[in-house]
Amino acid sequence: MQVKEQLLKLKPYQPGKPIEEVKKEFNLTKVVKLASNENPYGSSKKVKQAILNELDQDQLAIYPDGYSALLRTQLAKHLGVDEKEVIFGNGTDEVIQIICRALLLPGKNTVMANQTFPQYKHNAVIEGAEVREVPQVNGEHDLEAMLTQIDENTTVLWICTPNNPTGTYVKKQALIEFLNKVPKHVLVVVDEAYYEYVLAEDYPQTIPMLKDYPNLMILRTFSKAYGLAALRVGYGIASADLIQKIEPAREPFNTNRIAQAAAIAALEDSEFISECIDKNKKGLQQFYRFCEELKLDYYPSEGNFILIDFKRDADEVFQALLQKGFIVRSGNALGFPTSLRITVGTEQQNAEIIEILKDFV
């Protein structure tokens, strides 16, 4: 049996060790996961009630609404867009897959930063497209260099802002100038998975830009600030014409009934999101003070995570934390071999991991 040759060059996604496995391996009673940029405060109480209400209806034997009509209406209203300008996915991972499936093929190419969310490259390779990676400058996308990589065979360009794993972002004026220079045949995908956490005043509000740039698409998710990572609801926003053209690449029933109900409820609790944003800001300050005290390099972050350079093999620091019951992300897998990406946890979790790191350093 022969599979695509490009699949043989790829490795399947390797998730971090499960909490129970870490407990067993190191004989621990408590393990804290700060590896996947999840919301440490969970989700809104309204979400939990919506899930219970959905279960009470005893509809699990019936397929969900493949069009996500109720969620679509509420989200479009929340965003201030037309319902036809939204496409849903089983997390933004699937929306990325849909884009690649619809626009990439052998003979075409795609442009991205070299240290960014890996699913752009992963899906492009599967489709047989050429991947053009552009080195970052100080952890930020080099937009001018990315422009030089575009040619007549370029179909998709990716911008992750805030960027995973650095937490840096593309400023409003820089993005506008960039979009003005990108050829109209190139789809520019702006991945804003951490949009809700952003506090920078010069961060671009991209949705109003859609009317001026029909080759722009925005990605967002319910997995981060809304705390619904387990339910997998992501979405893309673009012109109705583009959404209509790529919809056939979307699998039917790709967002489940419970997830749709939970996402609707999540949109209704803006107070919960505001509280999470405020706590995240304070948590980042804890890490900033730690880095400055120990003179460690880091990138100021607009996400709910921070990348810290420990000037030694990242796996060594990762392992030391693992033995103490903290799961983080080693930079070896992210293109930063001496750094760790640490999710901002609760105030207590942050204080505990910082004390361990102080002793280690």
Side-chain angles (χ1 to χ4, degrees):
M1 188 178 297
Q2 188 172 359
V3 300
K4 286 182 176 180
E5 183 180 347
Q6 53 264 39
L7 286 177
L8 303 178
K9 303 173 184 177
L10 293 173
K11 294 181 180 179
Y13 179 76
Q14 296 292 326
K17 285 189 175 182
I19 289 176
E20 291 307 317
E21 184 178 330
V22 175
K23 284 182 178 180
K24 184 177 180 181
E25 181 177 353
F26 297 105
N27 194 27
L28 298 168
T29 56
K30 173 187 172 184
V31 171
V32 176
K33 183 187 175 191
L34 299 175
S36 301
N37 305 340
E38 296 142 334
N39 188 337
Y41 304 102
S43 56
S44 163
K45 291 180 181 178
K46 292 184 178 181
V47 165
K48 295 163 189 173
Q49 188 58 53
I51 291 173
L52 291 174
N53 293 344
E54 193 64 33
L55 290 173
D56 283 344
Q57 294 182 37
D58 195 22
Q59 300 287 306
L60 296 185
I62 300 173
Y63 284 109
D65 172 14
Y67 191 63
S68 305
L70 293 178
L71 173 57
R72 182 179 297 273
T73 298
Q74 293 303 314
L75 180 62
K77 181 179 178 181
H78 176 78
L79 298 174
V81 301
D82 188 274
E83 293 182 18
K84 294 180 180 179
E85 296 177 322
V86 179
I87 186 170
F88 289 99
N90 189 18
T92 50
D93 287 340
E94 191 193 17
V95 183
I96 292 166
Q97 185 183 60
I98 291 168
I99 294 168
C100 291
R101 192 175 184 183
L103 278 76
L104 295 177
L105 66 158
K108 300 297 182 180
N109 68 72
T110 180
V111 179
M112 63 194 70
N114 68 333
Q115 294 162 323
T116 191
F117 188 52
Q119 291 305 106
Y120 313 145
K121 180 177 181 179
H122 185 91
N123 283 284
V125 170
I126 290 174
E127 299 303 329
E130 177 192 353
V131 177
R132 297 181 177 180
E133 296 179 278
V134 178
Q136 295 188 39
V137 177
N138 297 323
E140 298 182 359
H141 285 53
D142 187 344
L143 298 182
E144 289 302 315
M146 293 175 82
L147 282 171
T148 67
Q149 294 300 306
I150 297 173
D151 62 23
E152 67 277 6
N153 292 316
T154 305
T155 55
V156 187
L157 184 146
W158 308 85
I159 297 177
C160 188
T161 176
N163 185 47
N164 178 5
T166 59
T168 56
Y169 69 102
V170 175
K171 296 177 176 60
K172 177 182 178 180
Q173 191 57 39
L175 181 60
I176 291 173
E177 292 175 2
F178 177 77
L179 289 171
N180 286 334
K181 297 175 183 177
V182 175
K184 300 306 178 187
H185 71 273
V186 178
L187 175 64
V188 178
V189 181
V190 178
D191 187 345
E192 298 181 339
Y194 301 93
Y195 171 81
E196 288 79 13
Y197 286 113
V198 176
L199 297 174
E201 293 182 359
D202 56 352
Y203 186 85
Q205 294 304 313
T206 47
I207 289 179
M209 294 181 184
L210 291 171
K211 67 180 185 299
D212 297 319
Y213 303 101
N215 61 329
L216 172 64
M217 186 168 186
I218 305 156
L219 304 186
R220 293 185 187 172
T221 183
F222 285 90
S223 294
K224 303 304 179 184
Y226 288 102
L228 303 185
L231 296 179
R232 316 303 298 125
V233 183
Y235 57 95
I237 318 154
S239 70
D241 179 63
L242 176 61
I243 296 297
Q244 182 183 21
K245 286 177 179 176
I246 68 173
E247 268 281 359
R250 179 181 65 84
E251 296 294 332
F253 313 119
N254 62 333
T255 56
N256 70 73
R257 180 182 301 275
I258 292 174
Q260 290 176 27
I264 291 170
L267 287 172
E268 296 171 353
D269 197 346
S270 58
E271 184 178 344
F272 171 77
I273 297 299
S274 296
E275 290 173 358
C276 291
I277 293 168
D278 184 60
K279 291 174 181 176
N280 184 70
K281 178 183 177 180
K282 293 175 181 176
L284 280 170
Q285 291 298 326
Q286 287 178 271
F287 283 105
Y288 293 163
R289 288 193 295 269
F290 158 69
C291 291
E292 288 157 10
E293 179 184 341
L294 275 70
K295 296 181 171 55
L296 297 172
D297 293 331
Y298 67 95
Y299 293 107
S301 175
E302 291 295 329
N304 66 333
F305 57 90
I306 184 170
L307 188 72
I308 303 174
D309 189 353
F310 289 90
K311 297 291 190 298
R312 65 180 76 190
D313 182 6
D315 287 347
E316 180 186 349
V317 192
F318 167 84
Q319 194 65 26
L321 287 171
L322 198 64
Q323 292 174 8
K324 296 288 186 178
F326 281 88
I327 307 172
V328 297
R329 193 82 160 104
S330 170
N332 265 315
L334 306 172
F336 294 89
T338 60
S339 300
L340 295 182
R341 190 192 69 192
I342 304 173
T343 302
V344 177
T346 65
E347 181 180 3
Q348 181 177 345
Q349 289 170 345
N350 299 335
E352 289 175 355
I353 194 172
I354 284 171
E355 283 306 307
I356 295 171
L357 286 169
K358 281 182 178 179
D359 290 341
F360 182 82
V361 173

